[in-house]
Amino acid sequence: MAKDFDVVVIGAGPGGYIAAIRCAQLGLQTACIDEWKTSDGKPAPGGTCTNVGCIPSKALLQSSENYEHAGHAYAEHGIQVKGLSLDLAQMLKRKDKVVRQNNEGILFLFKKNKITFFHGRGSFTGGRPGAWNVKVTGKTEEALTAKHVIVATGSTPRALPGVPFDNKCVLDNDGALAIPEVPKRLGVIGAGVIGLEMGSVWRRLGAQVTILEALPAFLGAADEQVAKEAFKVFTRQGLAMHLGVKVGKISAGKEIKVEYADSAGKAQSLAVDRLIVSIGRVPNTEGLGAAAVGLKLDERGFVVVGGDCATNLPNVWAVGDVVRGPMLAHKAEEEGVAVAERIAGKAGHVDFNTIPWVIYTSPEIAWVGKTEQQLRGEGVAYRAGQFPFMANGRARALGDTTGFVKILADERTDRILGVHVIGPMASELIAEAVVAMEFHASAEDIALICHAHPSLSEAMKEAALAVDKRTLNL
């Protein structure tokens, strides 16, 4: 006998488990299916983000930053560290513990919200409007029916053609988080978020890191001024970055050899001990059973949805990395909540214009809204205000004065169009900008708000004042 539910969510990543919780809160009988498992076969909900993405990478970024500070920065504070050594096994063990705590937290939330959890792979097997059939394939097989189905199956790393991941020599994000010893030479293909974060981790721990990027511009999605500052800082830190390259043959033996053409077209080669490939991600729709029910996918494998995340099938929805838009955990969460509310007859809402972007390197990089190059391209008249952390008292006390805050505002109305931060705790500072933009605030609104002193947030206020050319501390 099939088990009946109001909503079945396929996938328990950020989009899926949050959608399931919101559905349950709204009184819908909800089930969630997820196949992630620990090394000992136990359920590991949380998707890529929790298991091999956001959470473990931040754990290693923090640990590696602590290690680098102990070796190079503490002396300035009068803290002498003698006999510093690295216990990489313990560092990885801590990372795994942080991941497991998050897995267990999600399982607790399922129990708290009376969500039925099925451990296995979920796929469509048929159905009709109002009653979709979903099969769970795991240790045991289950048959479910649901009035609504939310597809939240996430994404998987994109491999280079002819160069499969073995996670021993050629690594995806999972392998990059679990290298058992610090490689002497580490290659990274792709200077995006994953490439920069993982490159930063292993550089801090002692690897010689070389990053190869196909695009001629560094961090093309970021504000040009921020990208320029970031390139300068990362290069000074020791990341060797080559832009505009064309990767050719990759061969693996005792070492991995990457043949490529540089930006001038000259043949080059790179020999490394490990190679991280971070050239993007592809939607995880294989095995979903889309053809069995006529679920429409586009030519790249994404589930086709409208602005409300509804698919071509009645009462079938899709959220997160498996649909259009930025592949960000918080974007998936917001879509999950919005879909749950639409199912319950409420007005779910996601504003793509105010989704923040963050790169958790040191310095951190965060932005929301338009970049200067976008505004110029659109012919929008704007004013810019900028304030450096070098002039911020809290940043000086922290010993981290790299970077700046920049605010872009409409020339006529002063409405904030974009905010860009490179510097300490940018990931936290950007939240104020998101709130301001959601409320259609002006730069003057932020300039008039009292910010605590001393705090990094004062740089946001000063940048807002700078839009009107009236900074106080510069």
Side-chain angles (χ1 to χ4, degrees), residues 182-188 199 201-211 237-240 242 270-274:
V182 179
K184 183 178 180 180
R185 302 165 301 173
L186 175 67
V188 180
V201 165
W202 295 106
R203 180 202 61 78
R204 293 169 188 165
L205 299 180
Q208 177 185 325
V209 179
T210 302
I211 299 178
Q237 289 175 352
L239 292 178
H242 303 276
L270 173 69
V272 294
D273 304 304
R274 296 281 195 282

PDB file of all heavy atoms in Angstrom, residues 182-188 199 201-211 237-240 242 270-274:
ATOM      1  N   VAL A 182      48.861  17.484   3.242  1.00  0.00           N
ATOM      2  CA  VAL A 182      48.981  18.735   2.500  1.00  0.00           C
ATOM      3  C   VAL A 182      49.847  18.500   1.264  1.00  0.00           C
ATOM      4  O   VAL A 182      51.006  18.093   1.381  1.00  0.00           O
ATOM      5  CB  VAL A 182      49.613  19.838   3.370  1.00  0.00           C
ATOM      6  CG1 VAL A 182      49.758  21.126   2.556  1.00  0.00           C
ATOM      7  CG2 VAL A 182      48.771  20.091   4.620  1.00  0.00           C
ATOM      8  N   PRO A 183      49.305  18.709   0.071  1.00  0.00           N
ATOM      9  CA  PRO A 183      50.118  18.506  -1.136  1.00  0.00           C
ATOM     10  C   PRO A 183      51.177  19.594  -1.259  1.00  0.00           C
ATOM     11  O   PRO A 183      50.938  20.749  -0.897  1.00  0.00           O
ATOM     12  CB  PRO A 183      49.089  18.596  -2.267  1.00  0.00           C
ATOM     13  CG  PRO A 183      47.981  19.419  -1.711  1.00  0.00           C
ATOM     14  CD  PRO A 183      47.933  19.127  -0.243  1.00  0.00           C
ATOM     15  N   LYS A 184      52.340  19.208  -1.763  1.00  0.00           N
ATOM     16  CA  LYS A 184      53.380  20.205  -1.972  1.00  0.00           C
ATOM     17  C   LYS A 184      52.961  21.164  -3.078  1.00  0.00           C
ATOM     18  O   LYS A 184      53.148  22.388  -2.974  1.00  0.00           O
ATOM     19  CB  LYS A 184      54.697  19.527  -2.338  1.00  0.00           C
ATOM     20  CG  LYS A 184      55.860  20.496  -2.493  1.00  0.00           C
ATOM     21  CD  LYS A 184      57.159  19.760  -2.798  1.00  0.00           C
ATOM     22  CE  LYS A 184      58.315  20.753  -2.962  1.00  0.00           C
ATOM     23  NZ  LYS A 184      59.592  20.063  -3.263  1.00  0.00           N
ATOM     24  N   ARG A 185      52.373  20.608  -4.145  1.00  0.00           N
ATOM     25  CA  ARG A 185      51.927  21.413  -5.286  1.00  0.00           C
ATOM     26  C   ARG A 185      50.460  21.077  -5.566  1.00  0.00           C
ATOM     27  O   ARG A 185      50.128  19.918  -5.803  1.00  0.00           O
ATOM     28  CB  ARG A 185      52.763  21.110  -6.519  1.00  0.00           C
ATOM     29  CG  ARG A 185      54.274  21.338  -6.355  1.00  0.00           C
ATOM     30  CD  ARG A 185      55.032  20.667  -7.484  1.00  0.00           C
ATOM     31  NE  ARG A 185      54.773  19.226  -7.535  1.00  0.00           N
ATOM     32  CZ  ARG A 185      55.197  18.425  -8.503  1.00  0.00           C
ATOM     33  NH1 ARG A 185      55.875  18.918  -9.522  1.00  0.00           N
ATOM     34  NH2 ARG A 185      54.917  17.131  -8.479  1.00  0.00           N
ATOM     35  N   LEU A 186      49.635  22.101  -5.531  1.00  0.00           N
ATOM     36  CA  LEU A 186      48.201  21.927  -5.768  1.00  0.00           C
ATOM     37  C   LEU A 186      47.775  22.773  -6.954  1.00  0.00           C
ATOM     38  O   LEU A 186      48.032  23.980  -6.997  1.00  0.00           O
ATOM     39  CB  LEU A 186      47.400  22.334  -4.531  1.00  0.00           C
ATOM     40  CG  LEU A 186      45.872  22.314  -4.668  1.00  0.00           C
ATOM     41  CD1 LEU A 186      45.363  20.883  -4.854  1.00  0.00           C
ATOM     42  CD2 LEU A 186      45.208  22.955  -3.457  1.00  0.00           C
ATOM     43  N   GLY A 187      47.126  22.142  -7.909  1.00  0.00           N
ATOM     44  CA  GLY A 187      46.559  22.869  -9.030  1.00  0.00           C
ATOM     45  C   GLY A 187      45.058  23.019  -8.862  1.00  0.00           C
ATOM     46  O   GLY A 187      44.395  22.125  -8.313  1.00  0.00           O
ATOM     47  N   VAL A 188      44.537  24.143  -9.307  1.00  0.00           N
ATOM     48  CA  VAL A 188      43.089  24.396  -9.258  1.00  0.00           C
ATOM     49  C   VAL A 188      42.664  24.920 -10.616  1.00  0.00           C
ATOM     50  O   VAL A 188      43.222  25.904 -11.112  1.00  0.00           O
ATOM     51  CB  VAL A 188      42.720  25.425  -8.165  1.00  0.00           C
ATOM     52  CG1 VAL A 188      41.208  25.646  -8.144  1.00  0.00           C
ATOM     53  CG2 VAL A 188      43.217  24.983  -6.795  1.00  0.00           C
ATOM     54  N   GLY A 199      41.554  26.743  -2.652  1.00  0.00           N
ATOM     55  CA  GLY A 199      42.931  27.156  -2.860  1.00  0.00           C
ATOM     56  C   GLY A 199      43.476  27.880  -1.642  1.00  0.00           C
ATOM     57  O   GLY A 199      44.630  27.673  -1.247  1.00  0.00           O
ATOM     58  N   VAL A 201      42.452  27.529   1.526  1.00  0.00           N
ATOM     59  CA  VAL A 201      42.638  26.573   2.625  1.00  0.00           C
ATOM     60  C   VAL A 201      43.995  25.895   2.533  1.00  0.00           C
ATOM     61  O   VAL A 201      44.795  25.901   3.474  1.00  0.00           O
ATOM     62  CB  VAL A 201      41.511  25.505   2.624  1.00  0.00           C
ATOM     63  CG1 VAL A 201      41.903  24.318   3.513  1.00  0.00           C
ATOM     64  CG2 VAL A 201      40.213  26.110   3.113  1.00  0.00           C
ATOM     65  N   TRP A 202      44.290  25.314   1.374  1.00  0.00           N
ATOM     66  CA  TRP A 202      45.506  24.507   1.254  1.00  0.00           C
ATOM     67  C   TRP A 202      46.757  25.366   1.145  1.00  0.00           C
ATOM     68  O   TRP A 202      47.847  24.936   1.560  1.00  0.00           O
ATOM     69  CB  TRP A 202      45.359  23.522   0.099  1.00  0.00           C
ATOM     70  CG  TRP A 202      44.276  22.528   0.396  1.00  0.00           C
ATOM     71  CD1 TRP A 202      43.029  22.470  -0.152  1.00  0.00           C
ATOM     72  CD2 TRP A 202      44.336  21.488   1.379  1.00  0.00           C
ATOM     73  NE1 TRP A 202      42.296  21.451   0.422  1.00  0.00           N
ATOM     74  CE2 TRP A 202      43.079  20.830   1.369  1.00  0.00           C
ATOM     75  CE3 TRP A 202      45.314  21.039   2.264  1.00  0.00           C
ATOM     76  CZ2 TRP A 202      42.783  19.746   2.193  1.00  0.00           C
ATOM     77  CZ3 TRP A 202      45.026  19.972   3.102  1.00  0.00           C
ATOM     78  CH2 TRP A 202      43.771  19.341   3.066  1.00  0.00           C
ATOM     79  N   ARG A 203      46.637  26.593   0.638  1.00  0.00           N
ATOM     80  CA  ARG A 203      47.783  27.505   0.659  1.00  0.00           C
ATOM     81  C   ARG A 203      48.171  27.831   2.097  1.00  0.00           C
ATOM     82  O   ARG A 203      49.353  27.819   2.460  1.00  0.00           O
ATOM     83  CB  ARG A 203      47.461  28.803  -0.091  1.00  0.00           C
ATOM     84  CG  ARG A 203      48.629  29.797  -0.091  1.00  0.00           C
ATOM     85  CD  ARG A 203      48.178  31.216  -0.341  1.00  0.00           C
ATOM     86  NE  ARG A 203      47.258  31.703   0.661  1.00  0.00           N
ATOM     87  CZ  ARG A 203      47.616  32.113   1.877  1.00  0.00           C
ATOM     88  NH1 ARG A 203      48.864  32.042   2.277  1.00  0.00           N
ATOM     89  NH2 ARG A 203      46.705  32.576   2.723  1.00  0.00           N
ATOM     90  N   ARG A 204      47.174  28.120   2.928  1.00  0.00           N
ATOM     91  CA  ARG A 204      47.458  28.450   4.329  1.00  0.00           C
ATOM     92  C   ARG A 204      48.147  27.296   5.044  1.00  0.00           C
ATOM     93  O   ARG A 204      48.958  27.509   5.950  1.00  0.00           O
ATOM     94  CB  ARG A 204      46.159  28.792   5.060  1.00  0.00           C
ATOM     95  CG  ARG A 204      45.484  30.062   4.611  1.00  0.00           C
ATOM     96  CD  ARG A 204      44.094  30.144   5.217  1.00  0.00           C
ATOM     97  NE  ARG A 204      43.332  31.258   4.680  1.00  0.00           N
ATOM     98  CZ  ARG A 204      42.021  31.397   4.818  1.00  0.00           C
ATOM     99  NH1 ARG A 204      41.333  30.466   5.475  1.00  0.00           N
ATOM    100  NH2 ARG A 204      41.401  32.436   4.305  1.00  0.00           N
ATOM    101  N   LEU A 205      47.810  26.088   4.634  1.00  0.00           N
ATOM    102  CA  LEU A 205      48.373  24.911   5.297  1.00  0.00           C
ATOM    103  C   LEU A 205      49.721  24.503   4.727  1.00  0.00           C
ATOM    104  O   LEU A 205      50.334  23.549   5.215  1.00  0.00           O
ATOM    105  CB  LEU A 205      47.381  23.744   5.211  1.00  0.00           C
ATOM    106  CG  LEU A 205      46.028  23.979   5.886  1.00  0.00           C
ATOM    107  CD1 LEU A 205      45.137  22.750   5.738  1.00  0.00           C
ATOM    108  CD2 LEU A 205      46.181  24.350   7.356  1.00  0.00           C
ATOM    109  N   GLY A 206      50.171  25.205   3.681  1.00  0.00           N
ATOM    110  CA  GLY A 206      51.524  24.963   3.196  1.00  0.00           C
ATOM    111  C   GLY A 206      51.669  24.561   1.750  1.00  0.00           C
ATOM    112  O   GLY A 206      52.797  24.385   1.274  1.00  0.00           O
ATOM    113  N   ALA A 207      50.588  24.406   1.017  1.00  0.00           N
ATOM    114  CA  ALA A 207      50.686  24.004  -0.391  1.00  0.00           C
ATOM    115  C   ALA A 207      51.071  25.186  -1.277  1.00  0.00           C
ATOM    116  O   ALA A 207      50.729  26.336  -0.995  1.00  0.00           O
ATOM    117  CB  ALA A 207      49.362  23.411  -0.865  1.00  0.00           C
ATOM    118  N   GLN A 208      51.774  24.872  -2.339  1.00  0.00           N
ATOM    119  CA  GLN A 208      52.042  25.848  -3.393  1.00  0.00           C
ATOM    120  C   GLN A 208      50.881  25.737  -4.385  1.00  0.00           C
ATOM    121  O   GLN A 208      50.719  24.726  -5.063  1.00  0.00           O
ATOM    122  CB  GLN A 208      53.365  25.535  -4.081  1.00  0.00           C
ATOM    123  CG  GLN A 208      53.700  26.443  -5.244  1.00  0.00           C
ATOM    124  CD  GLN A 208      54.974  26.001  -5.954  1.00  0.00           C
ATOM    125  OE1 GLN A 208      55.903  25.512  -5.331  1.00  0.00           O
ATOM    126  NE2 GLN A 208      55.012  26.157  -7.273  1.00  0.00           N
ATOM    127  N   VAL A 209      50.056  26.781  -4.461  1.00  0.00           N
ATOM    128  CA  VAL A 209      48.792  26.709  -5.197  1.00  0.00           C
ATOM    129  C   VAL A 209      48.859  27.524  -6.482  1.00  0.00           C
ATOM    130  O   VAL A 209      49.220  28.701  -6.467  1.00  0.00           O
ATOM    131  CB  VAL A 209      47.620  27.198  -4.323  1.00  0.00           C
ATOM    132  CG1 VAL A 209      46.309  27.131  -5.116  1.00  0.00           C
ATOM    133  CG2 VAL A 209      47.512  26.374  -3.042  1.00  0.00           C
ATOM    134  N   THR A 210      48.473  26.873  -7.587  1.00  0.00           N
ATOM    135  CA  THR A 210      48.378  27.539  -8.884  1.00  0.00           C
ATOM    136  C   THR A 210      46.945  27.386  -9.393  1.00  0.00           C
ATOM    137  O   THR A 210      46.410  26.280  -9.444  1.00  0.00           O
ATOM    138  CB  THR A 210      49.344  26.921  -9.907  1.00  0.00           C
ATOM    139  OG1 THR A 210      50.678  27.007  -9.395  1.00  0.00           O
ATOM    140  CG2 THR A 210      49.257  27.652 -11.238  1.00  0.00           C
ATOM    141  N   ILE A 211      46.336  28.509  -9.750  1.00  0.00           N
ATOM    142  CA  ILE A 211      44.954  28.507 -10.230  1.00  0.00           C
ATOM    143  C   ILE A 211      44.926  28.892 -11.701  1.00  0.00           C
ATOM    144  O   ILE A 211      45.508  29.905 -12.100  1.00  0.00           O
ATOM    145  CB  ILE A 211      44.083  29.491  -9.415  1.00  0.00           C
ATOM    146  CG1 ILE A 211      44.058  29.080  -7.927  1.00  0.00           C
ATOM    147  CG2 ILE A 211      42.662  29.541  -9.968  1.00  0.00           C
ATOM    148  CD1 ILE A 211      43.258  30.021  -7.046  1.00  0.00           C
ATOM    149  N   GLN A 237      49.180  37.095  -1.246  1.00  0.00           N
ATOM    150  CA  GLN A 237      49.142  36.010  -0.271  1.00  0.00           C
ATOM    151  C   GLN A 237      49.885  34.775  -0.756  1.00  0.00           C
ATOM    152  O   GLN A 237      50.289  33.929   0.056  1.00  0.00           O
ATOM    153  CB  GLN A 237      47.688  35.639   0.045  1.00  0.00           C
ATOM    154  CG  GLN A 237      46.939  36.676   0.857  1.00  0.00           C
ATOM    155  CD  GLN A 237      45.469  36.322   1.047  1.00  0.00           C
ATOM    156  OE1 GLN A 237      44.970  35.361   0.437  1.00  0.00           O
ATOM    157  NE2 GLN A 237      44.768  37.068   1.862  1.00  0.00           N
ATOM    158  N   GLY A 238      50.050  34.638  -2.068  1.00  0.00           N
ATOM    159  CA  GLY A 238      50.784  33.496  -2.586  1.00  0.00           C
ATOM    160  C   GLY A 238      50.022  32.610  -3.553  1.00  0.00           C
ATOM    161  O   GLY A 238      50.555  31.589  -4.022  1.00  0.00           O
ATOM    162  N   LEU A 239      48.766  32.966  -3.891  1.00  0.00           N
ATOM    163  CA  LEU A 239      48.038  32.211  -4.911  1.00  0.00           C
ATOM    164  C   LEU A 239      48.540  32.654  -6.284  1.00  0.00           C
ATOM    165  O   LEU A 239      48.447  33.830  -6.632  1.00  0.00           O
ATOM    166  CB  LEU A 239      46.527  32.466  -4.806  1.00  0.00           C
ATOM    167  CG  LEU A 239      45.798  31.921  -3.578  1.00  0.00           C
ATOM    168  CD1 LEU A 239      44.322  32.317  -3.629  1.00  0.00           C
ATOM    169  CD2 LEU A 239      45.922  30.408  -3.496  1.00  0.00           C
ATOM    170  N   ALA A 240      49.070  31.715  -7.042  1.00  0.00           N
ATOM    171  CA  ALA A 240      49.523  32.028  -8.403  1.00  0.00           C
ATOM    172  C   ALA A 240      48.340  31.850  -9.345  1.00  0.00           C
ATOM    173  O   ALA A 240      47.848  30.729  -9.524  1.00  0.00           O
ATOM    174  CB  ALA A 240      50.670  31.113  -8.797  1.00  0.00           C
ATOM    175  N   HIS A 242      46.476  32.421 -13.086  1.00  0.00           N
ATOM    176  CA  HIS A 242      46.662  32.649 -14.518  1.00  0.00           C
ATOM    177  C   HIS A 242      45.285  32.724 -15.171  1.00  0.00           C
ATOM    178  O   HIS A 242      44.499  31.767 -15.109  1.00  0.00           O
ATOM    179  CB  HIS A 242      47.483  31.521 -15.132  1.00  0.00           C
ATOM    180  CG  HIS A 242      48.829  31.351 -14.476  1.00  0.00           C
ATOM    181  ND1 HIS A 242      49.925  32.095 -14.815  1.00  0.00           N
ATOM    182  CD2 HIS A 242      49.230  30.520 -13.474  1.00  0.00           C
ATOM    183  CE1 HIS A 242      50.958  31.740 -14.078  1.00  0.00           C
ATOM    184  NE2 HIS A 242      50.562  30.781 -13.246  1.00  0.00           N
ATOM    185  N   LEU A 270      51.868  22.513 -16.367  1.00  0.00           N
ATOM    186  CA  LEU A 270      51.878  22.617 -14.912  1.00  0.00           C
ATOM    187  C   LEU A 270      51.889  21.217 -14.324  1.00  0.00           C
ATOM    188  O   LEU A 270      51.048  20.391 -14.670  1.00  0.00           O
ATOM    189  CB  LEU A 270      50.626  23.380 -14.435  1.00  0.00           C
ATOM    190  CG  LEU A 270      50.390  23.442 -12.926  1.00  0.00           C
ATOM    191  CD1 LEU A 270      51.444  24.307 -12.251  1.00  0.00           C
ATOM    192  CD2 LEU A 270      48.989  23.982 -12.634  1.00  0.00           C
ATOM    193  N   ALA A 271      52.852  20.943 -13.461  1.00  0.00           N
ATOM    194  CA  ALA A 271      52.933  19.652 -12.776  1.00  0.00           C
ATOM    195  C   ALA A 271      52.542  19.843 -11.311  1.00  0.00           C
ATOM    196  O   ALA A 271      53.088  20.709 -10.625  1.00  0.00           O
ATOM    197  CB  ALA A 271      54.340  19.083 -12.868  1.00  0.00           C
ATOM    198  N   VAL A 272      51.566  19.050 -10.846  1.00  0.00           N
ATOM    199  CA  VAL A 272      51.070  19.174  -9.480  1.00  0.00           C
ATOM    200  C   VAL A 272      50.874  17.788  -8.865  1.00  0.00           C
ATOM    201  O   VAL A 272      50.856  16.776  -9.565  1.00  0.00           O
ATOM    202  CB  VAL A 272      49.739  19.955  -9.432  1.00  0.00           C
ATOM    203  CG1 VAL A 272      49.935  21.404  -9.849  1.00  0.00           C
ATOM    204  CG2 VAL A 272      48.677  19.285 -10.306  1.00  0.00           C
ATOM    205  N   ASP A 273      50.715  17.770  -7.548  1.00  0.00           N
ATOM    206  CA  ASP A 273      50.473  16.512  -6.837  1.00  0.00           C
ATOM    207  C   ASP A 273      48.984  16.194  -6.723  1.00  0.00           C
ATOM    208  O   ASP A 273      48.597  15.027  -6.625  1.00  0.00           O
ATOM    209  CB  ASP A 273      51.096  16.585  -5.438  1.00  0.00           C
ATOM    210  CG  ASP A 273      52.575  16.923  -5.497  1.00  0.00           C
ATOM    211  OD1 ASP A 273      53.299  16.185  -6.175  1.00  0.00           O
ATOM    212  OD2 ASP A 273      52.990  17.928  -4.896  1.00  0.00           O
ATOM    213  N   ARG A 274      48.166  17.234  -6.678  1.00  0.00           N
ATOM    214  CA  ARG A 274      46.717  17.089  -6.653  1.00  0.00           C
ATOM    215  C   ARG A 274      46.122  18.162  -7.552  1.00  0.00           C
ATOM    216  O   ARG A 274      46.681  19.262  -7.679  1.00  0.00           O
ATOM    217  CB  ARG A 274      46.139  17.265  -5.236  1.00  0.00           C
ATOM    218  CG  ARG A 274      46.562  16.222  -4.214  1.00  0.00           C
ATOM    219  CD  ARG A 274      45.765  14.925  -4.402  1.00  0.00           C
ATOM    220  NE  ARG A 274      45.894  14.057  -3.244  1.00  0.00           N
ATOM    221  CZ  ARG A 274      46.928  13.283  -2.962  1.00  0.00           C
ATOM    222  NH1 ARG A 274      47.984  13.302  -3.783  1.00  0.00           N
ATOM    223  NH2 ARG A 274      46.952  12.506  -1.892  1.00  0.00           N
TER     224      ARG A 274
END
